[in-house]
């Protein structure tokens, strides 16, 4: 399997853990002291790092650091929007579309040397 595909798959899984670590406590631990939320989040984030570190190491064999970061941001938004709408019950906003379009521009500029 190609390094880029492996890296993207690992980053997708990593971002699911990251999103839960950063935001699930807002719903699940509401009313608990922040220190409890911090330790629970750190516990979840451990799994995120166990996927994210190899994802970046593998991805770096085929992509530049800038390209890898932009891929990460696209994946982050792709995971965060459904999470916020379905799990946190936040309204779907047009702003997500605009943010996504900005990321499309970022992808273009980071990868344009591969297109031209």
């Amino acid at each position: 399997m190609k390094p880029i595909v492996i890296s993207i798959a690992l980053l997708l899984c990593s971002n699911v853990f990251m999103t839960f670590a950063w935001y699930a406590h807002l719903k699940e631990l509401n009313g608990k002291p922040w220190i409890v939320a911090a330790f629970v989040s750190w516990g979840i984030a451990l799994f995120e790092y166990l996927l994210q570190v190899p994802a970046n190491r593998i991805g770096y064999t085929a992509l530049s650091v800038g390209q890898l970061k932009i891929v990460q941001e696209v994946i982050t938004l792709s995971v965060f929007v459904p999470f916020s709408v379905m799990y946190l019950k936040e309204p779907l906003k047009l702003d997500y579309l605009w943010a996504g379009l900005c990321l499309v521009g970022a992808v273009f500029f980071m990868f344009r040397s591969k297109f031209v």
Side-chain angles (χ1 to χ4, degrees):
M1 199 180 280
K2 291 187 175 187
I4 294 173
V5 174
I6 295 169
S7 180
I8 288 172
L10 288 170
L11 287 171
L12 275 167
C13 295
S14 164
N15 265 274
V16 170
F17 282 107
M18 178 191 72
T19 301
F20 270 93
W22 286 13
Y23 299 105
H25 64 85
L26 298 174
K27 178 179 178 181
E28 299 302 327
L29 299 175
N30 193 13
K32 300 279 187 201
W34 73 266
I35 194 75
V36 171
F39 279 109
V40 169
S41 294
W42 285 345
I44 296 168
L46 171 65
F47 295 102
E48 184 254 332
Y49 279 100
L50 291 173
L51 296 168
Q52 181 266 339
V53 170
N56 283 332
R57 292 175 68 94
I58 292 166
Y60 188 61
T61 65
L63 300 170
S64 71
V65 173
Q67 290 170 333
L68 198 54
K69 182 60 181 169
I70 292 302
V71 167
Q72 169 70 26
E73 294 305 326
V74 169
I75 291 170
T76 297
L77 191 60
S78 299
V79 169
F80 176 76
V81 172
F83 173 86
S84 67
V85 171
M86 292 188 290
Y87 186 79
L88 294 177
K89 307 296 184 206
E90 294 282 324
L92 182 61
K93 296 182 179 181
L94 201 53
D95 292 343
Y96 292 133
L97 173 65
W98 304 135
L101 289 174
C102 289
L103 284 175
V104 168
V107 168
F108 170 76
F109 286 112
M110 288 308 295
F111 287 88
R112 69 180 170 169
S113 64
K114 293 190 185 270
F115 300 132
V116 179

